[in-house]
Amino acid sequence: MRTTTTLPALRRTAALAATAVAALVLAACGGGGGGGDGGGGAGADSDPITLGFSQVGAESGWRTANTKSVQEAAEAAGIDLKFSDAQQKQENQIKAIRSFIQQRVDVIAFSPVVESGWDTVLMEAKRAGIPVILTDRAVDSEDTSLYATFLGSDFIEEGRKAGEWLLANVDASAGPVNIVELQGTTGSAPAIDRQKGFADVIAQNPNYQVIASQTGDFTRSGGRQVMEAFLKAHPDIDVLYAHNDDMGLGAIEAIEAAGKVPGQDIKIITVDAVKDGMQALADGKINFIVECNPLLGPQLMDLVKKVAAGEEVPARVVTEETTFDSAAAKAALPSRQY
């Protein structure tokens, strides 16, 4: 005798089959995290985004303020931050990025120690499906698909601003103006670009002459040591252009030790506008500072959330910055955050 299946029974069978298929789909999706070839992705809505961040180091007051901004902004945004200090060594950053890839973080951000030599490790992140954000410094890779965006300052413009102040405030009509330059870390984006922007502007008048240029590695001790050597080799220095405040502050120590008056006997231009530099500017020991804002944390976390969600972001995000003379420094110091 043939058995007849009732309509309710058929519905129950279909429902059970659909449940089984859904379970299989969820199991297949749940193991991979995010997009790409098995990496990235923020997971369930309740899971925090995990950000792997590799910092250059702690070579200056600017960098310390930048680190603090990133850490505080991550906490405020509810982002799980895995932080690594590269101690100014590219090999340490590459190791950190590879560690982040192995840990399957959702997003990687880093401030490159130098411009070159990143294609291999960035390709590894791309293949793992983990988006990368450059902060503060750029890389020179021709393959812009290796990173989602670059957040930071226009270093060439910073150099230009320094050069424009020099042309407007130090007269070269009577003869050569002898300039010494304290460069940042060799091969780094800010060192390359701040030198270029400055050189492009002062080239308008051949009487502005850079008679010596050497790296102080963005450190106060480096600035002092190099300035000591400059003063011994060149007794007729008119202007010092330092790629950051810390090197300028170190140079001030060397200038004073040599019996000269910083800001008067030698005009001083620096970049950053951290508190110690601003105080020296207010005191007349530095003549002009071009700001480079280190408080990138909130902007970075906003970009992290967007790229983790697969949203489109601008290829370049430039921070807003200004310049300071002595009067402006005095006005800004009471509320200065860094």
Side-chain angles (χ1 to χ4, degrees):
M1 181 177 66
R2 188 172 62 184
T3 303
T4 302
T5 304
T6 63
L7 184 58
L10 286 171
R11 287 175 176 165
R12 286 195 298 272
T13 302
L16 288 170
T19 301
V21 171
L24 287 171
V25 171
L26 287 171
C29 294
D37 299 326
D45 291 342
S46 60
D47 293 338
I49 295 170
T50 300
L51 168 65
F53 183 83
S54 177
Q55 181 61 282
V56 170
E59 76 282 4
S60 64
W62 191 99
R63 190 64 56 189
T64 301
N66 179 242
T67 293
K68 183 179 179 183
S69 176
V70 169
Q71 291 172 332
E72 290 180 347
E75 183 177 2
I79 290 173
D80 179 16
L81 178 66
K82 296 184 181 297
F83 182 88
S84 175
D85 182 339
Q87 299 177 331
Q88 293 184 271
K89 295 180 180 179
Q90 184 179 30
E91 58 267 31
N92 290 346
Q93 281 198 311
I94 291 173
K95 288 178 183 176
I97 292 169
R98 285 185 170 139
S99 174
F100 295 150
I101 294 170
Q102 290 173 356
Q103 295 174 65
R104 300 169 63 82
V105 301
D106 300 308
V107 181
I108 292 171
F110 75 111
S111 181
V113 174
V114 294
E115 282 192 341
S116 302
W118 300 103
D119 282 24
T120 299
V121 72
L122 292 182
M123 181 59 73
E124 293 171 17
K126 181 179 179 179
R127 288 171 178 161
I130 303 175
V132 173
I133 297 173
L134 305 178
T135 71
D136 173 43
R137 300 179 179 185
V139 298
D140 64 2
S141 175
E142 294 182 2
D143 185 357
T144 56
S145 72
L146 295 177
Y147 54 91
T149 184
F150 165 39
L151 165 65
S153 303
D154 185 337
F155 299 132
I156 291 179
E157 181 61 23
E158 290 172 354
R160 287 192 188 115
K161 289 175 180 176
E164 287 163 359
W165 182 89
L166 177 64
L167 265 60
N169 291 275
V170 179
D171 185 17
S173 61
V177 172
N178 293 328
I179 306 161
V180 294
E181 181 178 26
L182 284 169
Q183 299 177 29
T185 302
T186 302
S188 69
I192 293 168
D193 291 351
R194 286 171 186 166
Q195 183 181 43
K196 174 176 171 48
F198 184 76
D200 287 349
V201 170
I202 68 170
Q204 298 174 34
N205 187 333
N207 278 350
Y208 294 99
Q209 301 176 356
V210 177
I211 58 174
S213 184
Q214 186 174 327
T215 181
D217 212 24
F218 283 128
T219 66
R220 195 171 300 198
S221 61
R224 174 169 183 145
Q225 290 169 8
V226 175
M227 192 65 196
E228 286 172 349
F230 283 166
L231 289 163
K232 290 176 182 177
H234 306 282
D236 53 350
I237 297 169
D238 299 308
V239 177
L240 164 65
Y241 169 46
H243 289 188
N244 78 338
D245 291 344
D246 279 76
M247 290 189 296
L249 292 166
I252 287 172
E253 296 174 6
I255 292 167
E256 291 177 333
K260 294 180 180 289
V261 181
Q264 296 182 30
D265 296 331
I266 298 176
K267 303 294 185 183
I268 300 176
I269 307 166
T270 66
V271 181
D272 274 357
V274 298
K275 272 188 177 179
D276 286 352
M278 293 282 276
Q279 187 61 60
L281 178 58
D283 294 340
K285 294 184 177 184
I286 292 176
N287 302 89
F288 186 70
I289 296 180
V290 180
E291 184 182 38
C292 183
N293 187 357
L295 306 182
L296 305 182
Q299 283 181 286
L300 174 59
M301 298 312 145
D302 181 57
L303 290 169
V304 167
K305 289 179 179 179
K306 288 178 178 178
V307 299
E311 296 180 25
E312 291 290 328
V313 295
R316 180 73 168 94
V317 180
V318 180
T319 53
E320 293 185 6
E321 294 159 342
T322 187
T323 60
F324 295 92
D325 59 14
S326 182
K330 290 176 183 177
L333 269 169
S335 59
R336 201 69 176 160
Q337 296 182 53
Y338 55 92

